[in-house]
Amino acid sequence: AQTVTQSQPEMSVQEAETVTLSCTYDTSENNYYLFWYKQPPSRQMILVIRQEAYKQQNATENRFSVNFQKAAKSFSLKISDSQLGDTAMYFCAFMKQGRNTPLVFGKGTRLSVIA
Amino acid sequence: NAGVTQTPKFRILKIGQSMTLQCTQDMNHNYMYWYRQDPGMGLKLIYYSVGAGITDKGEVPNGYNVSRSTTEDFPLRLELAAPSQTSVYFCASISGGPRYEQYFGPGTRLTVT
């Protein structure tokens, strides 16, 4: 079974600064996907960024980028130029490739962006 | 497209009552999932379905039942509600490969007292 670990329950960052959220996972699969989701107080789950395990290049989406280390099973999220609207819970998630593949979530990191 | 819709948004149940949480998607996705999110925790899989007529248990299925008579609908049934089922429930659907795009509903906050 796959597990996802987020070791930072809470973090804070000053507005306009950069912050990195950590995520490690355990799997014996070779083909899989990794995701970071944002959950603001509205509770809506919003996909921030995704990474296919077969891709060596780290994914980027505007101010969000990942550091994917497949051998170390590490998948950290970097948020640059933090904004007040980035305040939310952030969940790391794993999905193996193929049918019958639900997401496995970490417990989340609560990020607060301070003005 | 409405995406994934869930009803109701909020509900309070008394212990022992039953209810059905509705989930509908209009994207013709075969894969649909029910998750629960307890306070301060990530999402845990309750049940999932890979197509009409096919369902299977996830990590925390006890106290719940599902059915999938159509591609669009995937209702979650709570029988004999218990305080331990107080949670936020999310329905999700996933498109097929290679992108496997995920879509979440807005969630249902359920309180059992």
Side-chain angles (χ1 to χ4, degrees), chain A residues 21-42:
Chain A
L21 309 184
S22 300
C23 173
T24 59
Y25 59 95
D26 188 25
T27 185
S28 58
E29 302 288 329
N30 192 47
N31 298 316
Y32 52 88
Y33 300 84
L34 294 163
F35 307 88
W36 278 98
Y37 279 89
K38 171 184 178 181
Q39 188 181 43
S42 67

Side-chain angles (χ1 to χ4, degrees), chain A residues 43-112:
Chain A
R43 294 201 315 261
Q44 182 69 45
M45 295 292 287
I46 301 167
L47 179 64
V48 174
I49 199 166
R50 61 182 283 147
Q51 173 82 41
E52 289 86 347
Y54 65 85
K55 290 186 177 179
Q56 290 186 329
Q57 187 173 5
N58 289 325
T60 62
E61 289 286 346
N62 301 315
R63 297 183 295 108
F64 300 88
S65 61
V66 299
N67 183 4
F68 173 49
Q69 302 288 331
K70 190 172 184 180
K73 297 180 181 175
S74 170
F75 183 61
S76 61
L77 173 70
K78 185 171 82 171
I79 306 174
S80 304
D81 186 25
S82 297
Q83 300 175 359
L84 296 177
D86 296 334
T87 293
M89 282 290 289
Y90 286 82
F91 293 99
C92 179
F94 171 100
M95 185 177 82
K96 65 180 182 179
Q97 189 174 346
R99 292 166 57 88
N100 305 352
T101 54
L103 292 161
V104 177
F105 287 86
K107 291 185 178 180
T109 296
R110 183 176 300 280
L111 177 67
S112 298

Side-chain angles (χ1 to χ4, degrees), chain B residues 7 11 25 30 44 76 91 95-96:
Chain B
T7 57
R11 182 73 184 269
Q25 53 92 9
N30 284 323
K44 293 186 177 181
L76 177 72
C91 180
S95 66

Side-chain angles (χ1 to χ4, degrees), chain B residues 2-102:
Chain B
V4 178
T5 59
Q6 290 183 237
T7 57
K9 286 187 169 52
F10 304 93
R11 182 73 184 269
I12 298 174
L13 281 182
K14 294 189 184 303
I15 294 171
Q17 287 185 321
S18 300
M19 74 165 294
T20 299
L21 281 65
Q22 301 292 344
C23 175
T24 300
Q25 53 92 9
D26 61 358
M27 297 168 282
N28 202 35
H29 290 165
N30 284 323
Y31 308 153
M32 295 187 73
Y33 305 87
W34 274 105
Y35 294 90
R36 60 176 285 172
Q37 183 181 25
D38 297 331
M41 303 291 285
L43 280 68
K44 293 186 177 181
L45 183 67
I46 305 171
Y47 270 95
Y48 65 98
S49 169
V50 299
I54 306 170
T55 63
D56 208 345
K57 297 178 180 179
E59 183 183 358
V60 289
N62 291 343
Y64 307 94
N65 276 299
V66 294
S67 60
R68 186 94 182 270
S69 57
T70 66
T71 299
E72 295 77 19
D73 300 309
F74 189 41
L76 177 72
R77 177 82 177 162
L78 278 72
E79 304 283 0
L80 299 175
S84 61
Q85 292 177 304
T86 294
S87 191
V88 179
Y89 292 83
F90 288 96
C91 180
S93 72
I94 299 181
S95 66
R99 286 288 294 171
Y100 295 104
E101 298 284 354
Q102 301 137 31

